[in-house]
Amino acid sequence: MLKDYEFWFVVGSQFLYGPQVLDTVAQRAQEMADRLNESGNLPCKLVYKATIKTNKEVTDVVREANYDSHCAGIITWCHTFSPSKMWINGFVDLQKPYCHFATQYNRSIPNEEIDMDFMNLNQAAHGDREHGFLAARLRMPRKVIAGYWQDEDVQKRIGSWMRSAIGVMFSRSLKVMRFGDNMREVAVTEGDKVETQIKLGWQVNTWPVGKLVETMDAVTDAEIDALMDTYKAEYDMATDDIETVRYQAREEIAMKKMLDAEGCMAFSNTFQDLYGMKQLPGLASQHLMAQGYGYGGEGDWKVAAMTAILKAMSEGQNGGTAFMEDYTYNLDPNAEYSLGAHMLEVCPSVAAARPRIEVHPLGIGDREAPARLVFEGHEGPAIVVSLIDMGGRMRLIVQDIEAVKPILPMPNLPVARVMWKAMPDLVTGVECWIAAGGAHHTVLSYDVTAEQMKDWAKMMDIEFVHISKDSTPEGIEEQLFLNDLAWKLK
Ligand code: MN
């Protein structure tokens, strides 16, 4: 999907300096786009689009950007001064993600060469301030990135923001398939689907479980054989109960057919509505997640959609992104950890080693023992993400975590598991998370960063709360109080 998108480099200038300066600006902008593309630090192509000199040129490029389905955003920079009132009419219409890149062509001030011609041509420090004022005045949800364009860390920051913008584009066209409703009486998995579609673009709709069962019945043995070969290639078959595994393959094939027929990239189901099904999909949901589909248990369509979005944002990276649930704590003062798992459905993209296919009874759901993938999550810094409906607005909560090798083998735990240290520490982290109203279901990602989620939330115009190593319960509570006031006024 990343290859389907490009970003447009739009450079600000004006007629004041004559055609020679404008030619130089255009040549350099093209050179910068080429070099950035060659750097390997951008996930999507950067296309030099225009040097802006008039109001009409801005409105034209914005109009084109809005209607071009391949354009995922614009990145502006002012090589020279660019009087920014001429950007107003274009910017008020901009519907695509926007980044202001404050850089300059030359790294250093040349001692001998600097004269007034040089100053006219190279005044980004001056032009970017005029340009920045206008975007601030317009309250545009923009990303500002400053630094030298040839520096790797600067290029990587642009690349990172591009992934947030891809998350915006993906979100606006995301369709979510619900099999059954939410688990009865659960609060946090509910939400306003109309408000969500207005804000985030998601089309969340339901399909009957009976239709899924019909589709499952139509799956052929040959289709199941082919998927079984894939399972055997990717996982260790740690069970003799092959028929049970084949039933999961049947479920996966049927769900994938229905998802693909509707263009859905996320789905939810619930153990309370498996009418006509022999097993809760375990391996089936896990292998669909490994292919990029988002999943949410117990009808949790919000976490299903967020899982899909984070997977889209991290396409091509290999740390892994999974549906997750906080299950239980290790409160030993010398080893304070959270244990995350689910009754079956954790994505194997986060596995430390080759997952095993196992079959065990499931106490919940009143169905046959389902096949599932069992593995440990790998070590490393990661985030957990929760989107909640506060009534009138959505709040995105992100917590930094450090995943560790589980400190216990837990040989009788028949599900995939991830163990982590929450920031700033387990107890404070739990206090902050609960104060913010974060759900038990989350998306856990080793690839997507808190900064990327903050940028995404800003572009989607939703509230953002970050629990980091520097967070305190007092600080978070004060932020929540002020956010409440601010969002009531918005
Ligand atoms: Mn759950």
Side-chain angles (χ1 to χ4, degrees), residues 153-425:
D153 63 323
V154 174
Q155 295 172 348
K156 284 183 171 166
R157 289 191 71 205
I158 294 173
S160 172
W161 173 79
M162 281 180 169
R163 289 182 177 276
S164 297
I166 293 299
V168 171
M169 300 302 289
F170 183 86
S171 180
R172 286 177 180 166
S173 61
L174 178 60
K175 293 174 150 186
V176 183
M177 182 170 284
R178 307 176 71 217
F179 295 111
D181 204 339
N182 301 57
M183 179 180 167
R184 285 187 284 277
E185 306 293 352
V186 177
V188 77
T189 58
E190 296 285 354
D192 182 339
K193 296 197 273 297
V194 173
E195 177 67 18
T196 305
Q197 187 164 350
I198 293 167
K199 235 16 199 235
L200 306 178
W202 308 348
Q203 302 163 62
V204 183
N205 290 295
T206 190
W207 274 261
V209 177
K211 169 78 177 167
L212 175 57
V213 172
E214 248 176 46
T215 312
M216 282 167 54
D217 288 343
V219 173
T220 67
D221 283 343
E223 288 173 306
I224 294 173
D225 291 344
L227 186 52
M228 288 295 285
D229 286 344
T230 304
Y231 289 163
K232 284 173 201 157
E234 293 176 10
Y235 312 125
D236 285 345
M237 192 67 70
T239 177
D240 296 328
D241 189 352
I242 299 302
E243 280 312 307
T244 293
V245 181
R246 288 182 70 86
Y247 193 80
Q248 288 283 331
R250 182 182 294 279
E251 291 181 326
E252 176 179 338
I253 292 161
M255 286 193 288
K256 188 169 189 310
K257 280 181 182 174
M258 288 183 64
L259 289 164
D260 292 351
E262 296 292 340
C264 294
M265 278 307 294
F267 68 105
S268 64
N269 58 15
T270 169
F271 66 89
Q272 286 175 336
D273 191 352
L274 298 173
Y275 194 84
M277 297 169 73
K278 291 183 189 168
Q279 299 175 31
L280 176 66
L283 169 60
S285 296
Q286 291 173 296
H287 194 245
L288 282 170
M289 267 189 280
Q291 295 164 72
Y293 296 91
Y295 172 77
E298 291 89 60
D300 192 341
W301 50 270
K302 294 197 297 299
V303 81
M306 289 308 300
T307 303
I309 290 168
L310 271 77
K311 280 179 173 291
M313 286 169 66
S314 57
E315 185 187 308
Q317 297 180 285
N318 54 19
T321 296
F323 168 58
M324 187 52 62
E325 181 167 88
D326 289 74
Y327 245 94
T328 193
Y329 301 130
N330 197 64
L331 287 166
D332 177 345
N334 299 315
E336 290 188 331
Y337 294 108
S338 292
L339 179 66
H342 204 255
M343 62 175 84
L344 299 175
E345 313 90 341
V346 175
C347 177
S349 64
V350 302
R354 197 173 149 94
R356 299 180 309 281
I357 298 176
E358 298 183 12
V359 176
H360 301 278
L362 186 67
I364 294 169
D366 190 28
R367 288 292 180 277
E368 293 176 8
R372 80 287 304 273
L373 294 171
V374 180
F375 56 86
E376 284 184 350
H378 66 85
E379 298 171 70
I383 57 170
V384 285
V385 177
S386 172
L387 180 75
I388 58 171
D389 188 332
M390 290 298 291
R393 75 174 189 276
M394 313 297 282
R395 171 183 289 166
L396 188 75
I397 305 157
V398 174
Q399 183 166 36
D400 297 334
I401 63 168
E402 182 73 32
V404 298
K405 177 172 172 54
I407 58 169
L408 305 165
M410 300 175 278
N412 296 314
L413 182 67
V415 290
R417 74 291 304 265
V418 181
M419 188 168 265
W420 67 80
K421 195 184 279 289
M423 298 294 149
D425 59 74

Side-chain angles (χ1 to χ4, degrees), residues 14 21 23 32 60 76 95 175 239 291 296 335-336 339 377 465:
Q14 60 176 328
V21 164
D23 283 348
M32 290 164 76
D60 284 351
T76 63
Q95 293 163 6
K175 293 174 150 186
T239 177
Q291 295 164 72
E336 290 188 331
L339 179 66
V465 177

